[in-house]
Amino acid sequence: CVLSGADKGMLGHITNRIEKLGLRKCLYVGLVPQEELLWLYKHCACVLALGIYESSCLPIKEAAVVRKPIIAADIEPNVELNESMSFLLFERNSPDSLAHRIVQIATNVYPSSDEIERNSAVVRSYSWNKLGEQYLQLFRRTYEKTIRP
């Protein structure tokens, strides 16, 4: 188990819990350079997106690009993203729910190769031009509604 990313105030709680559970094979590496992060993604069994205060979870998209199984907290942005992709959601405040999802991946119950390929295709279809055009359309509609209610 490798934990990466900035400590947003929960690292002490997490490391205490890891020690209490006797999970000796967990390592916190902090922020890592992009090349190392890519290596970690390519060599992991799955990616856990555990954040519960996200507006858009970049690790989910990064995991999809490198074709890895994904487990994510059931927060609204992840639930919405899962409508176009296929990954496992766990109940954000339930360690048992997360453990169940990890077992599903460890025992090859999930995902299928089709789901992995679909996730990768969805993320690869993203483009800044498409996003910009969607925002312009939204702004136009909003502007027209304020002028002609």
Side-chain angles (χ1 to χ4, degrees), residues 49-128:
L50 306 177
I52 58 173
Y53 301 108
E54 305 266 357
S55 60
S56 179
C57 185
L58 191 56
I60 290 174
K61 297 167 186 90
E62 291 169 336
V65 169
V66 294
R67 294 173 169 84
K68 292 297 177 175
I70 304 158
I71 301 173
D74 66 349
I75 59 173
E76 192 58 37
N78 295 347
V79 171
E80 183 177 326
L81 184 59
N82 204 28
E83 291 173 5
S84 62
M85 296 177 68
S86 179
F87 52 88
L88 296 175
L89 294 168
F90 72 94
E91 296 171 38
R92 72 191 93 174
N93 294 315
S94 171
D96 289 339
S97 175
L98 176 57
H100 174 73
R101 295 306 196 187
I102 291 170
V103 167
Q104 285 183 282
I105 288 178
T107 58
N108 296 316
V109 171
Y110 170 88
S112 72
S113 58
D114 288 345
E115 290 166 316
I116 293 286
E117 289 305 317
R118 186 173 115 220
N119 288 348
S120 182
V122 166
V123 174
R124 290 175 191 276
S125 74
Y126 293 165
S127 81
W128 288 111

Side-chain angles (χ1 to χ4, degrees), residues 132-147:
E133 186 58 40
Q134 289 173 345
Y135 275 116
L136 280 174
Q137 290 174 10
L138 175 64
F139 290 139
R140 284 185 188 123
R141 285 194 307 268
T142 303
Y143 177 76
E144 288 173 6
K145 286 181 183 176
T146 59
I147 294 205

Side-chain angles (χ1 to χ4, degrees), residues 1-4 18 24-29:
C1 171
V2 176
L3 305 170
S4 66
I18 288 170
R24 290 171 181 54
K25 293 186 179 183
C26 286
L27 174 66
Y28 173 66
V29 295

